[in-house]
Amino acid sequence: MFEVSGCRITPEQMKRWTDTFLPEQEPFYVNDEQLLNELKTLNVPVYSRSHFSAIASDFIGDYGGNYRHWNVPGSASIAFLKAIDLEEEVRSKLFSHQVALGRGQVYTYKWVEDIDVDTFTILKESHDAGDGRIILTHDAWIRMPEKVKQIWLLKWLRERVESTAMEVKFGAIPEHSKRVINRYVFTFPSKSGANCFSAALGAYLGSNHLVENWLNTEPFFEFLKHEGLAKYEVITLTRNIGFRPHDVLVWENARGDAVHAAYAVSEKYCFNKMGQFWFQPWQFVNIEHILDYAGCLTNGGRICIYRSN
């Protein structure tokens, strides 16, 4: 059994992750006209950001977090390719360009060297991206020993998973909710998909199926309505009222869009998942930790408390 910030990872789950951490074809971001023309001359598929989002939404849902897709400037085009197929000169230019644009899977020399000196030596020779950085690609990943992959993944995860409350006393919530929460809390999903809305609603209903699968906001609110939950109160930056166990909390931005949800297990703690990616576990969190989720309250949003009549 492996562990990250108090969250458990089974050997089977770790093996799935090391097998699928990076896809064979990967996105490389480009906003340099000369480099774009070179890639097009080589018949490399190049897409605008909007076109790629339209044709590869599932891929982005699975791997966008791995590559920090949303951190790269939206003006950059996307070349979708196997890095190993490029000639060394073009590949070197493309690698250094990823550093400049803030793409994911770029690591400092020290980060890699601290994992394994032999792996660092190999990658510095073949995957140097300049500026003291190494870029990890699928072809490099699959050549690593399994033990090095495990150490790499655990280190990568620890940078993304915050430690939260380890022991929480449940308030007055149904047994079916306790059962489902106890099954999933402090574990990771096997793949990307499960999100905050599925976690909150699945915990409320006691549904394993809901907890484990992606849920859009429209069916989420339809479920709430069907179960007789209505908006009871709101929390704002200047109005911080309490909630009670078995409430469903929904964060709305200033436009009224639902951006997050959690299930109250007590008067202070929630069962929560921070996003839809495989590296985001189900956890208990103190409401203060997520009160201003993504700057929601400070930017004019609110938290809606849904409660059964």
Side-chain angles (χ1 to χ4, degrees):
M1 186 75 73
F2 302 91
E3 180 271 331
V4 170
S5 300
C7 297
R8 305 178 300 277
I9 305 166
T10 66
E12 295 77 18
Q13 193 168 30
M14 175 60 79
K15 186 63 171 69
R16 282 195 298 271
W17 288 351
T18 58
D19 286 346
T20 61
F21 182 49
L22 298 179
E24 193 170 0
Q25 281 191 286
E26 301 176 85
F28 292 86
Y29 301 85
V30 186
N31 65 359
D32 178 87
E33 284 298 324
Q34 184 176 345
L35 182 54
L36 273 176
N37 290 332
E38 284 188 64
L39 292 171
K40 290 175 181 178
T41 300
L42 296 171
N43 295 317
V44 171
V46 178
Y47 307 94
S48 68
R49 187 67 160 261
S50 59
H51 189 194
F52 190 77
S53 296
I55 66 173
S57 59
D58 288 346
F59 178 89
I60 295 170
D62 288 337
Y63 287 105
N66 294 36
Y67 295 101
R68 302 181 77 241
H69 175 77
W70 294 273
N71 295 78
V72 176
S75 58
S77 298
I78 298 175
F80 196 54
L81 52 88
K82 301 177 185 177
I84 197 171
D85 289 345
L86 293 176
E87 295 179 1
E88 184 176 348
E89 183 179 352
V90 178
R91 187 169 63 243
S92 179
K93 291 179 185 177
L94 191 61
F95 284 178
S96 62
H97 205 56
Q98 305 316 293
V99 178
L101 290 177
R103 176 191 184 270
Q105 299 310 319
V106 173
Y107 304 88
T108 65
Y109 284 172
K110 186 177 188 309
W111 198 99
V112 179
E113 191 172 19
D114 286 349
I115 288 177
D116 182 71
V117 174
D118 290 340
T119 297
F120 167 71
T121 302
I122 293 169
L123 291 179
K124 189 174 183 298
E125 179 66 27
S126 63
H127 285 69
D128 195 310
D131 195 29
R133 302 291 196 276
I134 282 170
I135 188 167
L136 179 66
T137 60
H138 176 267
D139 58 287
W141 179 255
I142 61 175
R143 291 197 299 268
M144 286 186 196
E146 186 68 18
K147 185 65 176 177
V148 174
K149 291 180 184 177
Q150 291 172 359
I151 297 170
W152 190 298
L153 264 181
L154 289 171
K155 182 175 182 178
W156 190 83
L157 285 167
R158 288 188 185 106
E159 293 178 348
R160 286 156 178 79
V161 180
E162 293 185 61
S163 295
T164 61
M166 295 305 298
E167 293 186 15
V168 172
K169 185 177 180 180
F170 288 128
I173 65 174
E175 288 301 319
H176 64 250
S177 295
K178 293 179 184 177
R179 183 169 57 252
V180 165
I181 290 168
N182 283 330
R183 173 173 177 172
Y184 292 101
V185 71
F186 304 125
T187 68
F188 292 86
S190 59
K191 59 182 181 179
S192 293
N195 62 4
C196 60
F197 299 107
S198 63
L201 186 63
Y204 182 87
L205 295 175
S207 168
N208 295 342
H209 176 76
L210 279 172
V211 169
E212 292 179 0
N213 289 279
W214 186 79
L215 185 66
N216 202 353
T217 53
E218 185 175 345
F220 171 77
F221 283 114
E222 288 175 358
F223 269 113
L224 294 187
K225 183 178 179 180
H226 181 267
E227 293 298 317
L229 276 80
K231 193 179 297 182
Y232 174 76
E233 263 291 6
V234 297
I235 298 171
T236 66
L237 194 62
T238 58
R239 190 168 185 269
N240 191 355
I241 67 167
F243 56 87
R244 70 187 190 191
H246 204 45
D247 283 345
V248 174
L249 309 181
V250 180
W251 280 251
E252 292 182 356
N253 62 21
R255 296 189 304 272
D257 303 321
V259 296
H260 189 61
Y263 173 75
V265 299
S266 72
E267 293 179 351
K268 292 183 178 180
Y269 290 92
C270 296
F271 177 67
N272 181 72
K273 192 174 187 297
M274 290 302 286
Q276 68 179 40
F277 293 113
W278 60 272
F279 53 81
Q280 295 168 314
W282 294 282
Q283 294 172 293
F284 289 133
V285 296
N286 189 304
I287 185 62
E288 296 297 329
H289 185 73
I290 55 172
L291 192 65
D292 195 27
Y293 174 87
C296 186
L297 299 190
T298 53
N299 288 296
R302 62 184 187 171
I303 303 170
C304 299
I305 301 172
Y306 283 81
R307 185 175 295 174
S308 59
N309 297 324

